[in-house]
Amino acid sequence: MESTWVERDLPVLNALVQQLDDAAGASFPELRDVTEGTGLDISEITKAALALDSAGYIELSKTAGSTGSWYVKIVSKEARQAVGQWPTAEQVLDTLVQRLGEAADEEADPEQRSRLREAASTAGGAARNVFVDVLSSVIAKSMGA
């Protein structure tokens, strides 16, 4: 069986997150609302929505009408991370390591430059998993989890 994430599920998730944000609570996006933005037909969108619902990315409400009238009430933090709206701990750490390297390149003081390079090496190397765990905790707390 081939992967459906890139071609089907992620574009549908991205469209649903965007529409939910655009509506700002005024309404919930129906599955038919994302056909234009994704270029997918309603049967593929329905399959994606069911997969995203079972994976915990969205909360899908199934109505008595056609599947096109099914709607999404909630998207999870994992959904927002998957579409790049919220950072993952790994993304934050990668940015930190990159910025430490840039700061080292710009630093005139050799001792300070060495410390910055060491910090980047530590955060991006052997201690990476520890930093990811700490950042995951910080991100979760900042999101109220």
Side-chain angles (χ1 to χ4, degrees):
M1 180 173 246
E2 68 183 71
S3 173
T4 58
W5 180 249
V6 172
E7 298 295 323
R8 185 190 74 190
D9 301 346
L10 185 57
V12 169
L13 181 60
N14 192 42
L16 290 168
V17 169
Q18 186 63 50
Q19 288 201 0
L20 198 59
D21 282 354
D22 289 348
S27 65
F28 299 117
E30 293 182 348
L31 296 188
R32 74 172 122 246
D33 296 337
V34 299
T35 54
E36 188 175 316
T38 62
L40 298 170
D41 65 34
I42 194 65
S43 67
E44 289 300 302
I45 291 169
T46 301
K47 290 176 193 174
L50 289 168
L52 294 166
D53 183 51
S54 69
Y57 284 104
I58 64 172
E59 185 178 313
L60 183 63
S61 293
K62 301 172 189 168
T63 61
S66 71
T67 59
S69 65
W70 293 1
Y71 61 94
V72 174
K73 295 189 330 187
I74 298 171
V75 296
S76 67
K77 74 175 177 105
E78 291 81 11
R80 293 184 185 283
Q81 288 175 327
V83 300
Q85 193 178 59
W86 286 359
T88 64
E90 291 84 359
Q91 291 167 330
V92 171
L93 182 58
D94 290 343
T95 301
L96 174 65
V97 169
Q98 178 185 348
R99 298 279 163 77
L100 286 168
E102 291 168 358
D105 291 342
E106 296 172 7
E107 181 58 51
D109 178 20
E111 189 174 324
Q112 185 65 6
R113 183 174 40 244
S114 177
R115 286 186 185 134
L116 288 166
R117 288 194 199 288
E118 185 177 338
S121 177
T122 300
R128 181 175 174 79
N129 290 341
V130 173
F131 277 88
V132 167
D133 289 345
V134 170
L135 286 170
S136 293
S137 176
V138 169
I139 290 170
K141 284 182 183 178
S142 71
M143 292 182 194

